[in-house]
Amino acid sequence: MLALIDANNFYCSCERAFAPALRGVPLVVLSNNDGCVIARSEEAKALGLKMGDPWHIVSRKPEIKSVVWRSSNYALYGDMSRRMYETLLDYVPRVEPYSIDEMFMDLAGMPGDQVTLCTQIRTQVRRIAKIPTCIGIGPTKTIAKLANAVAKKDRAGSGIYDLSTPQARQAVYANMPVGKVWGIGPAAANKLARIGVTSIADFVDLPHDRVRRTLTVTGLRTQAELRGIACMQLSEEPAARKSLAVTRSFGRAITEWSEMAEAIASYATRAAEKVRGHGLRAGAMQVFMHTNRFNGDPSYSNGATFGIEATADTIVLVKTALRAGRQLWRQGYRYAKAGIILLELGDNKQADALPSVKAETSGSRMGALDAINRKYGPGTLYPAASKPEACWSMRRQRVSPSYTTRAREMLRALS
């Protein structure tokens, strides 16, 4: 038996966890450069705000004046997700993060009533991580996710919905469109509609050969999951990464190489930190930069992909990225975006026969760098070539403090 716990309006809930004044008021979180709406509180949804709405346009509407907005703070959201994950591990033996705000839990063999257990888990996540959640229960991942969707829709309910029995599923399947099923998108739903399948019950009853002809073997697996036959196993280990990217649109156009060099060095620094966090090294790199092709400026776009000595060393990656970026740079353009993509990621234990930097030297140097930044906050130490906070950085006019990852920005209790 599995359960899927899903945080309600996660980014907004993270903002409210440290700012109680935001509770009960319309709140949105914006994308990079304070561009579009990417998270909405229930109060903001009631005002008609949609995901992806461009804020510079919708904020002019009179009915939106009461909405409070925040710039995205991914460091805070990631750490709050970690807190939620660690809370779950106190109650169940295995947890599989599905996304930053969704996690599958293994309930197999747990003593007592599973709804009571999930109620306790939900209460503790709210108490410790300050995040409201909903939980769906089912014998497969697909059913648990469906149960979670039912729980989220019923705002007046308990926040928990149990589809562990065939009887409970039968009642839901008959009245829910097949397009609501995880793994059946609009195109698949349209194919099914053309053969008269509109509800989940219709899909579950469809003969196997008809499902395969319509939706291939993927559809067969989804049907089996809806019938209570697990085809997707719970896994605590994330899938091995093949690549890792750090790309940003600039807060303003870059026209000088000195600023582009700062940006490339900063992105390479962040990419190196991330790849070390996964215990990997990169064997290839891609560097790119381009202008904004929609604003009428002269257009230029270029990139380079090349092999490198397998490494996760910040200094090495920064130097390599800067050499490539200098070759790509063309004076006279207004650059809008650049990025670093690390490719051919492999295990940290792999070694080159004749490395230019000794693994022991690099490991101790990067270990010290990461330890200092963990203790005193991200960006405490960084290569001189980079500049984490610069005038070309992303616009983040209303970013909340990093309450949980920077000591100097933690809340202080008044005596």
Side-chain angles (χ1 to χ4, degrees), residues 10-11 14-15 29 71-81 100:
F10 182 61
Y11 291 174
C14 290
E15 297 288 345
V29 175
S71 305
S72 51
N73 185 344
Y74 296 113
L76 173 65
Y77 309 150
D79 194 61
M80 295 296 282
S81 177
I100 193 171

Side-chain angles (χ1 to χ4, degrees), residues 178-240:
V178 70
K180 297 292 185 180
V181 174
W182 182 34
I184 297 183
N190 288 336
K191 289 181 181 179
L192 292 170
R194 286 196 289 269
I195 61 174
V197 175
T198 57
S199 70
I200 299 176
D202 295 337
F203 179 64
V204 170
D205 293 337
L206 202 63
H208 287 184
D209 60 337
R210 196 75 186 275
V211 174
R212 181 161 191 151
R213 286 202 306 271
T214 308
L215 300 182
T216 72
V217 71
T218 302
L220 274 178
R221 283 197 292 266
T222 300
Q223 186 192 52
E225 286 256 328
L226 289 169
R227 289 178 171 178
I229 303 169
C231 298
M232 294 182 284
Q233 301 303 313
L234 195 71
S235 173
E236 296 172 278
E237 296 297 325

